[in-house]
Amino acid sequence: MDTIGRRDLIKKGLALGIATSGFARVRAQSRKLRIGFIALTDCASVVMARELGLFKKYGVDVEVVKEASWATTRDHLLSGEIVAAHTLFGLPFSVYTGIGGPAGRVLRIAMVLNNNGQAITLSQQDFGGKVGFRDLEGAGKAILAKKREGKPLTFAMTFPGGTHDLWLRYWLGACGVNPVSDVRIIVVPPPQMVANMSVGNMDGFCVGEPWNGVAVQQGVGFTALASQDIWKHHPEKALVFNNEFFQNNTDEARAITKAVLEASRWLDVPANRRTAAKVIAQRQYVNADPGVIEARLLGTYELGGGLGRRTYTDDYMLFHRGGQTNFPRKSHAIWFLAQYRRWGMLKEKPDYEGIAETILAQDFYISVAKELNIPVPNDDMRPLTGFIDGVTFDPKDPEGSIKKYKVRV
């Protein structure tokens, strides 16, 4: 299917300084490189890198491929069927530690694609009128009441050890609910969330947009809170490479990363988000109402369930944030590993820093960012704050930080 408005998009890119000349290019490649994505709003930087002609600008011929689930994305990355993908930040750590894949297999994170912009949706039937926005106490009472009745509730996320899994568990813990013993957690691919809730297969879910907005639009569920309410400016998706490709094709990996970085910068210009919403809404990409995509891209959340509207001004879905978004931090990697420990996914203490260094391509990212004159943050390994439960996480003492949580296994 032909892409829409390609000429107009390139003109918009040129107006913002995304020129097609005057930049260093890599040698033109004859082979086509396949990059995977899932039908979520935050695939936008990968999709727009193609739509704006940025992959071609840097001399790589890229086909973006819609994947059915994070499990198929993982499998295709490991096999080399795709060379890179828009992927959950937590997925490479889950795979490497054996939680969500073959232990010891390495997938490399070249950059973070976005902060914020996910949400927890609760069933209107089960929670309507009982739980308010960011209402931890009300949600906890409703969930534990069902457990006492012998009818524990079911919640869905998208991949074991992935971002949505951990936001869901973190929220449940902050509500005073143990996600291991008090509820049932299942895996459902993102585009299938709303349909599954509509037939009663789960009572709540955590997923990326636009599926929370779609649940509100269809009257199936309401937004209990966004992921930025759980942890402001959290890492969400990442540009993840097949390890063999990354090691043996450095020029192409750099070209792909540069294109996605430029698209990320373009997306953080608010006027461009309306254009992006129309593009990614198409059937070959997200296949959802562009109005729903656009609203939450701009920080306007119709919550549903009679809860009104919430407007996020500085912490909606962000793709660049002056370079703050895209740097892959060891502190974030260590936080994910510590959450695996908190919830009993890892029985033994992992090599926190060693695993972080194995998965994160920090030196690679720094080199690429400098070529594009993108500032590199100097805050790695500082304590992490901004969590809904008020806990400060110290990446230099992850085991000690786990003990601060009131709910853990």
Side-chain angles (χ1 to χ4, degrees):
M1 182 180 294
D2 292 337
T3 54
I4 66 167
R6 173 66 60 83
R7 190 170 298 171
D8 290 340
L9 286 169
I10 292 175
K11 285 180 180 178
K12 287 177 179 290
L14 289 168
L16 283 157
I18 303 177
T20 57
S21 62
F23 289 83
R25 299 167 182 259
V26 298
R27 178 174 58 85
Q29 304 292 328
S30 59
R31 60 173 174 165
K32 188 177 290 290
L33 304 175
R34 292 161 56 88
I35 298 179
F37 73 93
I38 290 283
L40 291 163
T41 299
D42 52 27
C43 75
S45 54
V46 170
V47 168
M48 294 311 300
R50 178 179 183 274
E51 292 281 347
L52 290 166
L54 295 174
F55 290 124
K56 288 185 178 179
K57 167 185 167 178
Y58 287 107
V60 283
D61 184 7
V62 166
E63 177 187 6
V64 292
V65 182
K66 185 188 286 191
E67 300 285 345
S69 68
W70 294 121
T72 58
T73 303
R74 171 203 62 202
D75 293 346
H76 291 163
L77 274 171
L78 289 172
S79 70
E81 185 169 331
I82 54 177
V83 302
H86 150 258
T87 300
L88 300 162
F89 180 83
L91 186 146
F93 303 102
S94 176
V95 170
Y96 187 82
T97 55
I99 294 166
R105 292 294 301 275
V106 175
L107 296 169
R108 300 301 301 278
I109 294 177
M111 62 177 280
V112 175
L113 294 178
N114 65 295
N115 301 135
N116 312 320
Q118 321 301 293
I120 290 176
T121 292
L122 298 181
S123 164
Q124 184 65 36
Q125 181 176 344
D126 293 317
F127 291 96
K130 301 175 184 177
V131 178
F133 180 72
R134 289 191 62 162
D135 181 6
L136 300 180
E137 183 179 359
K141 285 181 178 178
I143 294 167
L144 293 175
K146 286 291 186 180
K147 183 196 176 187
R148 287 192 294 271
E149 293 171 9
K151 302 174 182 177
L153 298 179
T154 297
F155 291 86
M157 49 77 180
T158 63
F159 187 81
T163 53
H164 304 128
D165 188 13
L166 294 194
W167 311 148
L168 175 63
R169 290 172 188 268
Y170 204 96
W171 170 74
L172 287 168
C175 291
V177 175
N178 189 318
V180 177
S181 57
D182 293 336
V183 298
R184 178 172 174 249
I185 295 179
I186 61 174
V187 177
V188 174
Q192 298 176 25
M193 286 291 189
V194 178
N196 273 274
M197 179 173 276
S198 69
V199 296
N201 287 343
M202 86 276 279
D203 306 287
F205 60 72
C206 183
V207 75
E209 299 301 342
W211 307 116
N212 302 284
V214 170
V216 171
Q217 183 188 52
Q218 295 185 5
V220 173
F222 63 92
T223 300
L225 78 173
S227 56
Q228 54 265 37
D229 296 306
I230 299 171
W231 178 14
K232 184 176 180 178
H233 296 329
H234 64 77
E236 180 49 43
K237 303 302 187 302
L239 179 64
V240 175
F241 281 91
N242 168 276
N243 191 41
E244 290 72 25
F245 176 86
F246 187 79
Q247 290 178 323
N248 298 324
N249 302 274
T250 304
D251 287 347
E252 289 171 302
R254 291 176 72 85
I256 290 168
T257 305
K258 286 178 184 179
V260 175
L261 265 172
E262 287 218 32
S264 301
R265 187 160 53 187
W266 183 87
L267 280 160
D268 269 7
V269 177
N272 293 337
R273 295 197 169 202
R274 291 185 171 88
T275 301
K278 293 182 177 66
V279 173
I280 67 174
Q282 295 176 90
R283 183 175 181 180
Q284 70 267 36
Y285 297 133
V286 178
N287 193 23
D289 184 336
V292 173
I293 294 174
E294 179 184 306
R296 294 203 171 192
L297 261 180
L298 294 172
T300 303
Y301 285 50
E302 298 295 341
L303 301 173
L307 298 179
R309 174 184 294 175
R310 164 80 177 184
T311 301
Y312 293 90
T313 56
D314 69 337
D315 57 352
Y316 47 47
M317 187 180 291
L318 295 168
F319 294 88
H320 187 58
R321 207 160 48 100
Q324 290 288 322
T325 293
N326 308 118
F327 178 55
R329 292 167 175 82
K330 287 197 296 183
S331 56
H332 291 165
I334 291 168
W335 184 88
F336 271 76
L337 294 168
Q339 295 302 308
Y340 297 165
R341 285 277 283 158
R342 176 187 181 186
W343 301 123
M345 300 175 186
L346 294 179
K347 303 302 181 185
E348 303 295 330
K349 176 183 174 182
D351 178 4
Y352 285 101
E353 289 206 37
I355 295 173
E357 290 169 1
T358 296
I359 300 298
L360 302 179
Q362 281 193 336
D363 291 343
F364 171 87
Y365 174 82
I366 291 168
S367 174
V368 172
K370 285 182 177 178
E371 281 194 42
L372 297 180
N373 294 315
I374 292 172
V376 176
N378 62 356
D379 60 355
D380 201 4
M381 295 303 289
R382 292 181 186 172
L384 301 175
T385 60
F387 296 96
I388 195 168
D389 56 5
V391 171
T392 295
F393 180 85
D394 183 358
K396 296 178 181 176
D397 182 22
E399 294 287 309
S401 294
I402 293 168
K403 296 175 183 176
K404 298 178 183 179
Y405 298 114
K406 293 179 181 179
V407 180
R408 60 184 189 272
V409 299

